[in-house]
Amino acid sequence: MRAITLGPAGTYSHRAARAVADEIEFTESVTSIVEAVADGTYERGVVPIENSIEGSVTESLDALAEYEVAVTQEIVTPIRHALLAQGPDFSVVASHSQALAQCRTYLETEYPDVSLEAVASTARGVERAREDPTVAGIGHPDNAGGELQILAEDIQDRSSNATRFLVVAPQSERSEAGGKSSIVVYPNANYPGLLLELLEAFAERDINLSRIESRPSGNRLGDYLFHIDFEAGLYEERTAEALAAVEEIAAKGWVRTLGSYDSRHVV
């Protein structure tokens, strides 16, 4: 099976993707991952969707709303950030913007005078550090070696730091089996109580929502769509009833059912 994820090799996305496929290729855009799966170029894509510290990855949310794909699995991996450099003297720390944010307290305390440079991925920052002795990278400790030393380990602000990834597949592979499901709802409406109605469709059927997030629809200012994750499978009667209620509420818009899936933890 061929999968595509955020590169280069050595990213946390790469670590998650190795649990899905043996043959992995890389890109530097989440949108291009979802698009490549939607058009059939790749059998699977692995995209970061949420971090326990920094929250949702908005590019992933927007791509899932734009392209017709299925979600077949959730992968959760702990994030262990290390400071990697050729030596203790550097003037720049380069890493993904989320990694920089996740290590904000450490960097402000230990290296208040260095410049922070946001790059496409943690692995790209490590590459910069490998090429330039004035640059340090933030990445998994396993990315050290050769000329790169581990100057400090577990520098993330919270030890509970973890990232949730979604495995996307062609829409034809959407499954109704699994303990968790995801949908995207575009009501194409705005009136008092709209969000309450959406929530009640699940609450009245004893379905727990694990995440709900609004994103601009892109159609007009103040117009939103909703990403909803809930703890029930599409095969369940209560889920079918809830979705029927949601589709009625969004009759002027649309509902995209991404599928049901189970979670997997990858260290």
Side-chain angles (χ1 to χ4, degrees):
M1 181 177 292
R2 296 172 66 236
I4 184 169
T5 193
L6 290 176
T11 62
Y12 286 96
S13 294
H14 184 199
R15 298 177 71 85
R18 287 188 301 191
V20 176
D22 295 325
E23 186 179 346
I24 302 168
E25 296 184 25
F26 303 103
T27 182
E28 293 194 355
S29 161
V30 168
T31 302
S32 64
I33 294 172
V34 179
E35 182 181 16
V37 173
D39 67 18
T41 304
Y42 289 88
E43 298 167 273
R44 293 290 185 273
V46 177
V47 298
I49 195 72
E50 183 180 14
N51 176 263
S52 60
I53 296 177
E54 289 301 304
S56 296
V57 180
T58 55
E59 185 184 359
S60 296
L61 296 177
D62 294 342
L64 291 173
E66 182 177 355
Y67 294 97
E68 297 279 358
V69 293
V71 173
T72 60
Q73 191 176 167
E74 173 185 86
I75 297 175
V76 178
T77 182
I79 303 299
R80 290 191 59 213
H81 286 318
L83 187 66
L84 309 174
Q86 296 185 34
D89 298 321
F90 54 87
S91 56
V92 175
V93 176
S95 194
H96 190 277
S97 58
Q98 287 240 348
L100 293 173
Q102 291 160 19
C103 303
R104 183 182 296 115
T105 300
Y106 173 83
L107 293 173
E108 289 177 351
T109 301
E110 301 295 330
Y111 297 96
D113 298 325
V114 303
S115 299
L116 304 183
E117 178 184 331
V119 293
S121 65
T122 54
R124 185 67 68 196
V126 172
E127 281 188 354
R128 290 265 289 111
R130 207 177 293 279
E131 296 164 355
D132 188 342
T134 67
V135 176
I138 294 175
H140 194 278
D142 288 353
N143 289 329
E147 60 273 17
L148 281 188
Q149 308 171 27
I150 299 176
L151 301 184
E153 289 190 59
D154 296 318
I155 64 172
Q156 62 272 10
D157 293 343
R158 299 182 188 177
S159 59
S160 60
N161 190 7
T163 293
R164 173 181 170 232
F165 296 85
L166 294 182
V167 180
V168 295
Q171 188 184 33
S172 60
E173 297 190 37
R174 189 185 76 186
S175 173
E176 295 191 351
K180 194 171 185 178
S181 302
S182 293
I183 63 174
V184 185
V185 182
Y186 176 52
N188 195 22
N190 186 15
Y191 55 84
L194 169 62
L195 180 57
L196 177 61
E197 289 180 9
L198 289 173
L199 298 177
E200 286 178 338
F202 297 94
E204 291 173 354
R205 294 161 180 87
D206 197 31
I207 298 175
N208 185 48
L209 300 186
S210 55
R211 185 176 64 91
I212 179 168
E213 185 152 355
S214 62
R215 288 293 297 157
S217 69
N219 295 330
R220 55 188 177 271
L221 187 65
D223 190 44
Y224 295 90
L225 52 80
F226 300 93
H227 290 260
I228 300 175
D229 296 341
F230 55 90
E231 295 176 354
L234 292 173
Y235 66 90
E236 298 182 51
E237 182 177 351
R238 59 177 180 159
T239 302
E241 293 175 355
L243 291 182
V246 169
E247 287 171 352
E248 184 176 348
I249 295 167
K252 294 181 179 179
W254 47 261
V255 178
R256 178 165 297 159
T257 304
L258 297 175
S260 295
Y261 50 88
D262 290 318
S263 297
R264 180 176 179 181
H265 290 259
V266 175
V267 178

